Amino acid sequence: MAANWRVATAALRRHLLSPPPIIFAAFRESTGALSAANQRRSYTTALADDDPRGKWLTLPPFSPTIDAAAVGKELSFDDGDSVVKGSNDGSTTALRWILRCRPDLPRNLVQKLFRLRQVRRQVVVVVPMSCELQRSQLKRVAAKESLNVGDRIYLPLSVGNDAPQPAKKERFLCSEEERKFVCSLVLYKDPAIIVLNKPHGMAVQGGTGVKTSIDELAATCLTFDKSESPRLVHRLDRDCSGLLVLGRTQTAATLLHSIFREKTSGASAYGVKKNIKSLKRKYLALVIGCPRRQRGQISAPLRKLVVDDGKSDRITVNDNGELVSTQHAITEYRVVESSPHGYTWLELRPLTGRKHQLRVHCAEVLGTPILGDYKYGWQAHKTREPFVSPENTRTKTSSPFGLDMEGGDVSSKQPHLHLHSKQIDLPNICQLLEKLEVSSDSDISDLDSLKFDAPLPTHMQLSFNLLKSRVETCDYC
């Protein structure tokens, strides 16, 4: 009897001391977030052939990531602390990690897997009677269960077949000439951002009636050495020209979007919060007429009106006190130069980022619509006489995308919109992300600022020359 007991004990010990199943990973482990191009890749882990658990879809091991939205919020306002906390609390739930690693999986499908108890978590257990020997096991995990750094989640292999296939988006094809034109718009590039000088007439994002957009062209021509396509973080009107910032990674784009958003939410009817590494934007506009005051601040709420039986809309100032949905908007302005011909160059600083904010504030509050703005200044353009000058010399230019790069200045019967995003000051996002990779609590007191200045488009430069403006002496050449 004792001999049988010893044989059984020895067999049990051999089983417990046997090496763990060999895992063949079909992906290279990464501690960072997955890129958009690799998020749909099947992470299949094959266990040993004699393992009853079979095969599983394996997610990357959990690791704390930069909370870009929180960083942007902390960075925007001066609370007396120069330290930014860049990472989360070091833990997340199993449900959130799955949705982050596999955004292609519907949330309801993932929740169903948890309800059916089909989600596993790899844990390490210590072999009894041997504190040094460890074995890996897969155990069921709940949706709200917190993960530790290095934990790995396993999903049923059938999930890859159940996930809906995304609609294949046709990639915009560019000729070599078009590609060179798009690349010529780049004013600045680093590992985190790209800054463009957007031309007049090119839409930022696709939509009804839009053949070509910056969003599509960036994905085709401006990826450079990145696997991800650049992402929009703010907007410019189609007819507005000038500086446009794009994020080159998901983290950079989220951080930039947060900075632009916090700039708007930080401004209110009661004042503007003081910023340490503030986002600063300046526009240059040529308006019809001249404001009564040389400088000032416009604080006027805006609301949307639906016109043409719902076919279109326009923004207007809500000055009648009606209880309607409004958005507060603040703009600082300064007269740069007035022309005896009835035109004025204005410097505009939007402290909020509302749709058509500058155009509506100029037309309805200052009473000086922007030249070329037929939506909000049609009455002024109806009575306007084109400016004529014997020095009117034009340079013929063309665009491979059919953009009207010729004419449109103050002497034209139908001038282009004279609104240009001239200057932007931003925190050095690339430097900040490098700091946060080294330490989650980073000192930003020495964080550099990036200053960008976009040359005037052709039609505004022609108007500049025709009106003999002295804008050049005011740093707007």
Side-chain angles (χ1 to χ4, degrees):
M1 187 72 177
N4 293 338
W5 180 84
R6 283 195 295 271
V7 171
T9 301
L12 179 61
R13 278 186 68 99
R14 284 196 301 272
H15 174 71
L16 293 176
L17 295 176
S18 60
I22 300 174
I23 297 179
F24 303 95
F27 65 96
R28 187 177 182 178
E29 292 188 3
S30 172
T31 57
L34 300 177
S35 67
N38 297 327
Q39 283 174 339
R40 281 200 51 82
R41 189 182 302 168
S42 294
Y43 301 98
T44 306
T45 298
L47 302 180
D49 293 336
D50 58 347
D51 196 299
R53 293 172 291 186
K55 294 181 179 180
W56 297 82
L57 289 176
T58 311
L59 302 186
F62 167 69
S63 61
T65 54
I66 297 174
D67 189 347
V71 172
K73 189 171 184 178
E74 290 185 44
L75 187 66
S76 297
F77 304 117
D78 185 4
D79 56 359
D81 188 4
S82 61
V83 177
V84 167
K85 298 183 181 298
S87 65
N88 55 20
D89 57 4
S91 66
T92 189
T93 64
L95 175 61
R96 289 179 179 176
W97 185 243
I98 293 174
L99 294 176
R100 176 177 176 81
C101 294
R102 292 296 301 268
D104 57 298
L105 297 179
R107 187 183 184 92
N108 57 357
L109 173 61
V110 178
Q111 291 174 331
K112 181 179 179 180
L113 294 176
F114 279 109
R115 289 196 302 270
L116 297 177
R117 306 177 72 182
Q118 294 182 353
V119 183
R120 299 292 188 270
R121 171 184 183 179
Q122 185 181 27
V123 296
V124 178
V125 296
V126 179
V127 177
M129 297 179 292
S130 177
C131 297
E132 297 180 357
L133 295 178
Q134 298 179 343
R135 287 177 56 85
S136 297
Q137 293 183 359
L138 298 187
K139 290 189 176 182
R140 295 188 182 97
V141 61
K144 295 184 179 180
E145 188 172 332
S146 296
L147 300 182
N148 298 319
V149 176
D151 283 354
R152 199 184 293 271
I153 295 294
Y154 294 80
L155 301 176
L157 190 59
S158 59
V159 169
N161 300 325
D162 296 337
Q165 296 297 322
K168 291 185 178 180
K169 186 177 180 181
E170 294 184 4
R171 199 171 185 85
F172 189 86
L173 299 178
C174 288
S175 65
E176 187 61 28
E177 181 185 6
E178 291 171 336
R179 184 180 295 274
K180 289 181 179 179
F181 175 79
V182 174
C183 292
S184 70
L185 303 178
V186 177
L187 296 180
Y188 175 84
K189 174 174 67 71
D190 66 22
I193 69 171
I194 292 177
V195 181
L196 306 179
N197 185 10
K198 187 187 90 67
H200 158 85
M202 180 172 284
V204 169
Q205 200 166 25
T208 305
V210 176
K211 295 182 179 180
T212 307
S213 67
I214 294 291
D215 198 20
E216 291 178 323
L217 295 175
T220 303
C221 307
L222 301 179
T223 54
F224 298 109
D225 56 338
K226 297 285 186 180
S227 60
E228 303 178 60
S229 299
R231 295 169 171 85
L232 298 171
V233 298
H234 68 114
R235 302 287 189 272
L236 286 180
D237 292 343
R238 181 173 186 168
D239 293 328
C240 180
S241 60
L243 295 169
L244 182 70
V245 183
L246 298 93
R248 299 193 67 190
T249 64
Q250 179 64 60
T251 302
T254 303
L255 178 54
L256 283 165
H257 187 266
S258 178
I259 291 174
F260 276 87
R261 183 179 63 248
E262 293 300 329
K263 178 69 174 180
T264 294
S265 63
S268 68
Y270 306 102
V272 181
K273 294 181 180 179
K274 299 299 182 182
N275 303 56
I276 42 176
K277 297 293 180 182
S278 171
L279 164 69
K280 297 178 182 178
R281 290 175 290 175
K282 291 182 181 180
Y283 287 71
L284 185 65
L286 181 62
V287 300
I288 303 173
C290 183
R292 295 181 180 179
R293 297 181 178 179
Q294 291 294 300
R295 65 173 63 235
Q297 183 182 97
I298 303 169
S299 181
L302 304 178
R303 66 185 177 114
K304 181 188 294 185
L305 293 178
V306 178
V307 295
D308 296 335
D309 296 327
K311 296 180 181 179
S312 61
D313 61 72
R314 58 180 287 123
I315 309 299
T316 185
V317 173
N318 183 42
D319 55 1
N320 52 16
E322 293 182 5
L323 295 177
V324 295
S325 177
T326 62
Q327 292 182 319
H328 203 81
I330 303 176
T331 303
E332 293 181 346
Y333 73 92
R334 179 177 69 89
V335 173
V336 176
E337 179 71 19
S338 294
S339 166
H341 306 286
Y343 299 96
T344 303
W345 291 100
L346 290 183
E347 175 190 277
L348 303 171
R349 291 186 57 209
L351 303 185
T352 54
R354 309 302 186 187
K355 180 180 179 180
H356 295 174
Q357 172 181 322
L358 300 181
R359 295 164 62 181
V360 175
H361 278 177
C362 285
E364 297 190 12
V365 179
L366 297 181
T368 56
I370 298 175
L371 181 64
D373 188 356
Y374 306 103
K375 188 180 186 75
Y376 300 105
W378 64 272
Q379 189 65 39
H381 285 80
K382 190 176 180 180
T383 58
R384 167 187 170 271
E385 291 293 334
F387 177 78
V388 180
S389 171
E391 299 180 10
N392 187 357
T393 58
R394 304 188 180 197
T395 303
K396 278 194 172 185
T397 56
S398 60
S399 164
F401 296 103
L403 299 177
D404 186 5
M405 306 290 285
E406 182 181 353
D409 57 86
V410 70
S411 66
S412 302
K413 292 184 178 180
Q414 291 187 324
H416 298 330
L417 182 69
H418 281 54
L419 179 62
H420 181 66
S421 176
K422 192 71 174 65
Q423 297 176 355
I424 289 183
D425 292 359
L426 278 174
N428 191 327
I429 302 301
C430 183
Q431 182 186 27
L432 175 59
L433 293 178
E434 289 176 354
K435 284 176 172 285
L436 293 176
E437 287 179 0
V438 176
S439 173
S440 59
D441 297 340
S442 298
D443 184 6
I444 61 170
S445 59
D446 60 343
L447 185 64
D448 296 333
S449 291
L450 299 176
K451 301 179 185 295
F452 305 105
D453 192 293
L456 292 176
T458 304
H459 65 280
M460 291 185 69
Q461 188 65 53
L462 286 172
S463 297
F464 171 88
N465 297 335
L466 290 172
L467 294 174
K468 297 184 179 299
S469 173
R470 294 193 300 274
V471 178
E472 187 171 2
T473 63
C474 303
D475 298 329
Y476 283 105
C477 56

